[in-house]
Amino acid sequence: MAGDRLRLTAGQALIQFLRAQYVERDGVENAFFPIVFGIFGHGNVGGVGEALRASRHELRYIPARNEQAMVHAAAAFARARNRLATCACTTSVGPGATNMITGAAGATINHLPVLLLPSDVFATRRSGAVLQQLERRGLPSDSVNDAFAPVSVFFDRISRPEQLLPSLLYCMELLTSPKDTGAATIALPQDVQAEAFDFPPSIAARRVWHIERVSPDPACAQHLCSLIGKAKRPLIVAGGGVIYSGATRELTSFARASGIPVAVTQAGKGAVPEDMEFALGAIGATGTAAANHMAARADLVIGIGTRWTDFTTASRTLFAQDAVFASINVVSGGLLHDEAVSMTADARMAIEALAAALSHFRVPADYASEIRGATREWHGTRERLLGAGGTQPESQAAVIGAVNAAVGDDGVVVCAAGSMPGDLHKLWLARVPGNYHVEYGYSCMGYEIAGGLGAALADPARPVVVMVGDGSYLMLCAEIVTAVQERVGLTIVIVDNHGYGSIGALSTSLGLSGFGTRYGYRSADGDCNEDVLPVDLVANARSLGANVVSVQTAAQLKDAVRAAMRSGIVTAIHIEVAAPSDVPSFDSWWDVPVAEHSEDAGVRAAAATNARQRERQRPYGIAGTRWEKKGE
């Protein structure tokens, strides 16, 4: 202590700051950074590492195995906490830092707050461009960490200790913003981390960041109510913003009272109980028959907490050309649609306003009857798909049904990439928020096990079941070791189809016969499709410390998942499945380019089909005039 100053290294000051950050929403406060993930190496071991060791009883430090994976775990933690808490991640200089870039992109794309603290080259430059550093004579201030800037909502490099506090405050403004959040990166030169400085006491002072709920503009709300009142076939598309806002109860009540059906995006699954008659389930390119059928005939489409991403809009071919769009989101403006109403508001506040103004509104009786018929028919289709098991190898649909039955409402399923997210979006029955955790904004292979670890750390009371394909498992399975280390109960279902199942099916649809997507020995035709490679995923998972079970049928899988969830230890369950998936698409199309010239007849046929489908695409903007607050 020097006068009223605190004598600390920059690394110590950083950790003191992280310990003191809290968020508050609706009167409830909680620590914003309860965990720091890290891997020590050149750059951070003597700076941030020393500070973490000194504060290990106040701030939990978790050594990870892979830098990309620990960012996935932090993002999953933030999602499971509805963005009201997250984790920081510290790495060494060089490859340890750049390994985090993929995770940073995923967090920013999914609007999930994570704080990244990569080490950087010497600010004093007393150590030249040596090990793990760029040599760019024309740009000596550049380092590999500049690659973080395009995938971060905030990027800064601290070259002097006195820059640390203002940078952290700017960073926190964005991390706690519902509309601007994502990955925030503060690059820390290795010499600055260890440099002592007399910091103001405010660096360690408790700060509480209020999460604001934005009320809808009254004129905008009135206009939207007018549109709903005139609509004959309104439809709500619920996105992740409904869940992050804590608006699931309000949306369920509004939909039940008004009769307006609700379809859900990947992030919005769980926004309403999917066994209710007004719940149409998944929408878009991975949507259900019920949701896509009703979407194609809707005259008013109201998006709540969704960004209208490509899969949600099915490449802008799903909805009627004359449908009117409205959007409610904390982020203003629409990217793919010229909305008749674009309401900037918190989902809960907006739904409460609509419910109060439309308390006497009911959809027409014939529309309500059609909704009930569509949902009944879809649930019958779903049961048939789930019940078509018993084959060898087992169907993916039956595997999903078995896990859904075992997990129930109390647990959480985690997935990310391949064919499973699409099948899960259709088939998983989510009755409560947080039961469904699929990363599909970036659809990043390797997210699954790390994401499961983050979700389990965020809410230890809810059992977490990871569903991961063999392709993603082989890319990033090392956080099994971290889960064992932390004594986290985690169930990992390894769904093995001996290749890249999703892209294999896509390749076949493009006339390419699954080229380069199977795990086999190289064959005479130049592809790797001869026999199955002798990869033993069971032995691999066991070698990483997991308890391992191998099953053959969906019934065995259900029993194994239930036993694993009760055990409280890391358990990997291996099951083979048939490829490709047997779950069909329902009235949807996704625009994937096909070679416009090819000697292959299959490719030419796929290109002709693609050209016909593209004629249905909605251009940017929709028919009609955008409503402005000045008038109609």
Side-chain angles (χ1 to χ4, degrees):
M1 179 79 72
D4 61 346
R5 313 286 281 186
L6 296 177
R7 187 70 173 175
L8 300 167
T9 68
Q12 292 162 357
L14 168 68
I15 299 306
Q16 291 288 325
F17 179 89
L18 297 185
R19 287 174 48 195
Q21 303 312 298
Y22 289 77
V23 298
E24 173 271 324
R25 187 175 73 177
D26 301 334
V28 178
E29 292 184 11
N30 59 268
F32 193 62
F33 295 109
I35 292 173
V36 176
F37 285 102
I39 297 178
F40 294 138
H42 291 288
N44 67 338
V45 64
V48 172
E50 186 277 337
L52 284 167
R53 180 178 181 272
S55 299
R56 63 189 180 276
H57 299 300
E58 290 82 32
L59 185 61
R60 184 176 180 181
Y61 171 70
I62 297 180
R65 269 72 200 169
N66 179 281
E67 292 90 354
Q68 176 184 327
M70 68 187 185
V71 183
H72 291 327
F77 184 99
R79 176 173 173 174
R81 290 283 187 93
N82 283 343
R83 304 192 297 199
L84 299 176
T86 188
C87 310
C89 300
T90 177
T91 70
S92 63
V93 68
T98 54
N99 279 352
M100 293 200 294
I101 290 174
T102 296
T108 297
I109 286 169
N110 286 294
H111 289 233
L112 294 169
V114 295
L115 176 59
L116 308 182
L117 303 168
S119 297
D120 213 322
V121 300
F122 278 72
T124 59
R125 302 187 189 175
R126 66 174 180 258
S127 175
V130 290
L131 179 68
Q132 298 181 324
Q133 297 183 29
L134 286 175
E135 291 187 73
R136 301 186 69 182
R137 294 183 182 180
L139 294 168
S141 64
D142 275 12
S143 82
V144 296
N145 287 345
D146 289 277
F148 280 96
V151 295
S152 301
V153 297
F154 178 87
F155 176 79
D156 195 10
R157 179 179 285 109
I158 304 301
S159 58
R160 294 175 60 87
E162 55 262 47
Q163 296 171 346
L164 183 62
L165 180 56
S167 183
L168 286 167
L169 293 174
Y170 291 143
C171 175
M172 284 298 299
E173 285 185 7
L174 292 173
L175 285 174
T176 58
S177 167
K179 65 178 181 178
D180 295 321
T181 195
T185 303
I186 298 180
L188 299 169
Q190 48 194 309
D191 51 342
V192 175
Q193 289 185 42
E195 184 177 344
F197 182 76
D198 294 329
F199 286 92
S202 58
I203 192 93
R206 177 186 172 96
R207 282 186 174 83
V208 181
W209 301 81
H210 173 65
I211 308 300
E212 182 183 11
R213 289 194 181 275
V214 179
S215 297
D217 175 78
C220 191
Q222 183 179 3
H223 183 64
L224 178 53
C225 288
S226 174
L227 290 176
I228 295 173
K230 297 172 185 175
K232 303 299 182 185
R233 304 176 65 84
L235 168 71
I236 292 172
V237 176
V242 174
I243 295 173
Y244 295 140
S245 172
T248 57
R249 183 180 305 172
E250 288 76 10
L251 179 58
T252 300
S253 297
F254 177 58
R256 181 180 287 118
S258 66
I260 301 176
V262 179
V264 294
T265 68
Q266 281 278 10
K269 204 164 170 70
V272 294
E274 291 191 333
D275 54 356
M276 305 295 287
E277 65 178 19
F278 56 80
L280 301 172
I283 194 170
T286 56
T288 69
N292 288 351
H293 172 83
M294 302 306 294
R297 293 155 180 80
D299 59 359
L300 174 63
V301 184
I302 308 161
I304 306 179
T306 178
R307 291 170 287 155
W308 298 115
T309 53
D310 185 53
F311 265 65
T312 304
T313 57
S315 289
R316 305 192 304 280
T317 58
L318 180 60
F319 304 100
Q321 289 291 324
D322 59 351
V324 175
F325 280 78
S327 182
I328 300 169
N329 210 322
V330 289
V331 180
S332 61
L335 185 62
L336 295 179
H337 303 287
D338 185 15
E339 294 100 340
V341 176
S342 183
M343 180 191 293
T344 305
D346 171 79
R348 181 192 285 181
M349 301 292 286
I351 294 167
E352 287 177 344
L354 293 179
L358 296 166
S359 59
H360 300 296
F361 174 81
R362 301 290 184 277
V363 299
D366 58 343
Y367 185 47
S369 177
E370 186 179 347
I371 294 165
R372 288 191 293 270
T375 55
R376 278 197 304 269
E377 183 175 351
W378 162 245
H379 284 297
T381 300
R382 176 182 176 273
E383 290 301 320
R384 287 193 296 274
L385 288 168
L386 298 184
T391 60
Q392 288 294 317
E394 191 62 271
S395 74
Q396 185 159 281
V399 164
I400 290 171
V403 176
N404 201 169
V407 170
D409 294 343
D410 295 331
V412 181
V413 65
V414 176
C415 190
S419 61
M420 254 190 306
D423 289 355
L424 281 163
H425 195 205
K426 296 184 189 81
L427 300 177
W428 189 271
L429 198 64
R431 298 182 181 89
V432 296
N435 173 248
Y436 183 87
H437 183 132
V438 173
E439 190 284 294
Y440 218 49
Y442 207 35
S443 191
C444 185
M445 295 182 71
Y447 174 92
E448 295 89 344
I449 294 173
L453 170 63
L457 289 167
D459 190 354
R462 297 188 77 169
V464 174
V465 177
V466 172
M467 296 190 72
V468 58
D470 51 314
S472 279
Y473 178 89
L474 289 169
M475 283 190 177
L476 207 55
C477 59
E479 296 320 300
I480 288 176
V481 180
T482 308
V484 171
Q485 160 194 289
E486 298 299 314
R487 295 183 173 89
V488 172
L490 192 62
T491 301
I492 303 164
V493 178
I494 305 171
V495 182
D496 191 353
N497 59 17
H498 305 289
Y500 300 118
S502 174
I503 299 304
L506 177 60
S507 170
T508 300
S509 74
L510 302 183
L512 301 176
S513 305
F515 173 74
T517 61
R518 302 182 184 93
Y519 289 168
Y521 290 99
R522 183 167 299 281
S523 56
D525 66 359
D527 199 359
C528 297
N529 57 8
E530 188 174 283
D531 298 327
V532 173
L533 292 175
V535 177
D536 192 339
L537 300 178
V538 170
N540 178 269
R542 183 177 291 114
S543 74
L544 297 177
N547 177 49
V548 180
V549 179
S550 187
V551 299
Q552 286 75 46
T553 68
Q556 293 171 346
L557 175 62
K558 181 167 66 175
D559 292 340
V561 170
R562 285 174 172 164
M565 290 166 60
R566 290 192 299 268
S567 72
I569 62 174
V570 180
T571 302
I573 305 169
H574 176 269
I575 185 169
E576 280 194 86
V577 298
S581 166
D582 56 353
V583 181
S585 298
F586 296 102
D587 301 323
S588 66
W589 171 73
W590 179 40
D591 189 359
V592 177
V594 187
E596 293 183 355
H597 173 76
S598 177
E599 300 299 323
D600 189 285
V603 175
R604 293 198 300 273
T609 299
N610 199 57
R612 288 193 299 272
Q613 293 281 13
R614 193 169 289 164
E615 292 175 359
R616 301 167 47 208
Q617 275 187 317
R618 172 193 299 274
Y620 284 94
I622 63 172
T625 303
R626 181 185 174 92
W627 177 80
E628 301 290 352
K629 283 167 52 176
K630 293 178 292 186
E632 298 184 30

